[in-house]
Amino acid sequence: LFLGNDNPPARNSSKKLNGSDGGEHAGAENVDGEAADDAVSPSAEAEEAIASSSTSKTSDISEDKMRLVDCSLYNENHLPPARRLIQPEDLVVVFESFNDLNFVYATPNDIFSNRNGHFHHNDFIGRPYGCKIRSRNNDGLGFLYLLRPTPELWARSLPHRTQIVHELDASMIVHYLNLCPNMVVCESGTGSGAMSHVILRSIAPKGKLHTYEFNEMRVEKARKEFEGHGLKHLVEVHHRDVCGKKALLELKNGDDGKTAASDGAISSNVESTDKNGESDIKTSNENSNKSDDGKGGFQLGQAVAHAIFLDLPEPWLAVPHAAYTIKPNGRVCSYSPCMEQTQRTVAAMRQHGFHSLRTVEARLKEYFVDEVEMETPPTDLPVILTEEVASMEKARCAGGGLPKEEDEKMRDAATPPPDEMVAKEFAMKKRKTDNKKMLCARPFAQMRGHTAFLTFATAGNAPRLDPNRQVA
C-alpha cells in the first residue's frame, strides 16, 4: 500500500531506450533502416535486453501495487458495504433517542414497535441511510432515524451477551496494536463481537481475523451475525479455549482433574441451556469435544499472526500460546478489569520474551455543547473622582456636611455632562436588548467509570516453542 517513489513507466519506455521515439536521431535511424540495426554492437544489445527486462518487472510490480490501492476493485470487502439505499435483509441501526439505539434487519412486511409508535419495514426499504421515518399510527407524531451501521453504532445497539469493549478502549487497542489492512489478527474472547467488528474494519480488504470463544452458543450467534453483516470472508470463528485449562487440570490432577474438567464443561452447558433454551446438552457436549481438544492455543502454527488481542479472565494462561503464534516484533494486548490480573499477565509476558510493556487506562470526559445567551459586557467606564472631590467627600462624611457653596461645587464636579449621561443610558438599554447567543461547552459533572486496564507488549525476535509440546 505504500508506493513510495515507484511510478509506473510509460508504455513506450522500451522504444525510448532504443532511440526510436522523437528527435533527429530517431529520424536518422528510421531512414537508415537495417543499416542502423546492423551497427548496434553485441554489448549494446545485451544492455538493451537487460533494460527492457528490468522495466517490464518494475511495471508489473507497480501494477500490482496499484491494484492494492484501487478501492473500486474491493467493493464487496468494504465495511460497511458501499450502499446508499437500504435493501431487504440489510442491517439498520435505529436511532430512537440520544441514549437509546436499536437495530433491525430490514425484512418485508415486518413491523418495528417502540414507545413512539409502529414503524413498518416496508417504509425502510429503498430509503437512504440517515433518513427520518414517521410512525403509521399516533397521527405520525412518532419518528426515528435510520443509520448506516458502523462498529461504534453496532457496539451501542447490539445485544450484550458479555461485557463489551467500548469505542474509547477499542480506538486505543487499534492504535497501539498498529493494525493495518491485510493483517492476520487473533482475538481470544469473541463475546458479543463488538471488538471483532472494529478489528475487521481495520484489516479489510484482504485481512483475516481468527476469533476464539469457549462458549459454543456464543460461537454460533457470532457466526450468524458475521454472515448477516457480509463479513464472512474476513473472519473465522473458532470454538476453542485458548488457555487450555482442561489440559492443565489433567496435567495437575491426573484422572481426577480430567473428570472434574468434564463435569465443569457439562455444568456450564447445563447453565447456558437453562438460560437460553436453544440447544441440547448432549449435542453441545459432543460438538465441543470435536472442536476443542482442551489443549489450548490458537492452532495456526508458529509466527503467523501480526497482532493478538486477549480478552480473558485469566490471560496469563494464554500468553505462552500467544508468544508461539505471534510474529517477531508483533504486538499483543491484554484487556483486564482488575489490577491483579494485569500484574500476573505482565509477569507472564516478561517470562515469555515480550518487551516494551505498557499499561494504560483510558477515561472519557464528555462535554455538553449548546448555545447559551450571554449578556454583552459593559463598555462604559465608571466615574473616577479627582483628589479634590475625594477629599471634600471625606470631609463631608466626617463633619456631617459641607457648606452650601462647597457642596454645589462637589456635585458639579461629580456629575457628568448631559451628553455623557445620555450616552450612558443608551448603552444600558442596548446592553439589555443586545444579548448574543454563543456556542459554549461545559463538562459533565461525572466521568464514565473505570472499564479496564490495557496492557500492550511487543514480541521478541527469538522463536518460541509450542507450549502444547512442552506440556506433553
Side-chain angles (χ1 to χ4, degrees), residues 55-66:
T55 53
S56 62
K57 289 181 180 179
T58 54
S59 62
D60 294 340
I61 295 173
S62 59
E63 288 178 0
D64 292 339
K65 291 182 178 180
M66 290 302 296

Side-chain angles (χ1 to χ4, degrees), residues 124-338:
F124 300 173
I125 299 173
R127 301 292 297 275
Y129 286 102
C131 66
K132 184 177 181 180
I133 299 295
R134 292 280 181 178
S135 62
R136 290 195 179 184
N137 60 340
N138 298 332
D139 297 329
L141 297 177
F143 65 90
L144 49 80
Y145 292 93
L146 307 180
L147 304 181
R148 184 192 300 274
T150 63
E152 291 78 17
L153 293 177
W154 174 246
R156 292 180 58 183
S157 60
L158 59 80
H160 288 196
R161 297 185 287 270
T162 58
Q163 178 66 29
I164 67 170
V165 180
H166 291 278
E167 57 266 22
L168 180 62
D169 291 330
S171 62
M172 297 280 291
I173 293 168
V174 170
H175 175 70
Y176 283 107
L177 285 183
N178 302 327
L179 296 186
C180 297
N182 309 333
M183 275 188 169
V184 178
V185 182
C186 294
E187 177 195 17
S188 181
T190 307
S192 301
M195 189 62 206
S196 303
H197 285 77
V198 177
I199 296 174
L200 290 172
R201 179 176 59 182
S202 302
I203 65 175
K206 288 187 175 181
K208 192 69 174 181
L209 172 63
H210 296 273
T211 178
Y212 298 81
E213 175 62 45
F214 75 94
N215 187 293
E216 187 180 6
M217 210 167 293
R218 291 199 288 263
V219 168
E220 295 301 327
K221 289 184 178 179
R223 284 175 180 165
K224 291 180 181 179
E225 286 179 354
F226 291 138
E227 185 175 359
H229 299 169
L231 305 173
K232 187 178 180 181
H233 60 286
L234 293 173
V235 60
E236 186 173 350
V237 185
H238 303 265
H239 175 223
R240 187 176 187 83
D241 181 13
V242 175
C243 297
K245 295 181 183 178
K246 186 176 180 181
L248 293 176
L249 285 174
E250 291 177 0
L251 182 65
K252 183 178 180 180
N253 301 327
D255 294 336
D256 296 337
K258 184 176 181 180
T259 305
S262 61
D263 292 343
I266 294 175
S267 63
S268 64
N269 285 326
V270 170
E271 293 176 0
S272 61
T273 308
D274 291 341
K275 291 180 180 179
N276 298 280
E278 297 181 1
S279 65
D280 185 28
I281 301 174
K282 178 182 284 188
T283 57
S284 177
N285 246 359
E286 291 174 357
N287 293 334
S288 63
N289 291 334
K290 290 180 182 179
S291 57
D292 187 3
D293 54 5
K295 293 182 179 180
F298 297 93
Q299 298 296 309
L300 298 178
Q302 187 177 15
V304 175
H306 296 89
I308 294 178
F309 173 63
L310 303 176
D311 185 5
L312 301 168
E314 299 174 328
W316 56 89
L317 298 178
V319 168
H321 303 285
Y324 173 73
T325 306
I326 199 169
K327 289 187 174 183
N329 294 322
R331 296 282 288 172
V332 64
C333 173
S334 176
Y335 181 91
S336 301
C338 300

Side-chain angles (χ1 to χ4, degrees), residues 86-113:
I86 300 173
Q87 302 296 330
E89 305 303 329
D90 279 356
L91 173 65
V92 181
V93 176
V94 178
F95 182 90
E96 303 179 46
S97 63
F98 183 75
N99 291 321
D100 194 2
L101 273 72
N102 211 323
F103 74 95
V104 295
Y105 292 94
T107 306
N109 302 325
D110 275 8
I111 299 176
F112 174 76
S113 300

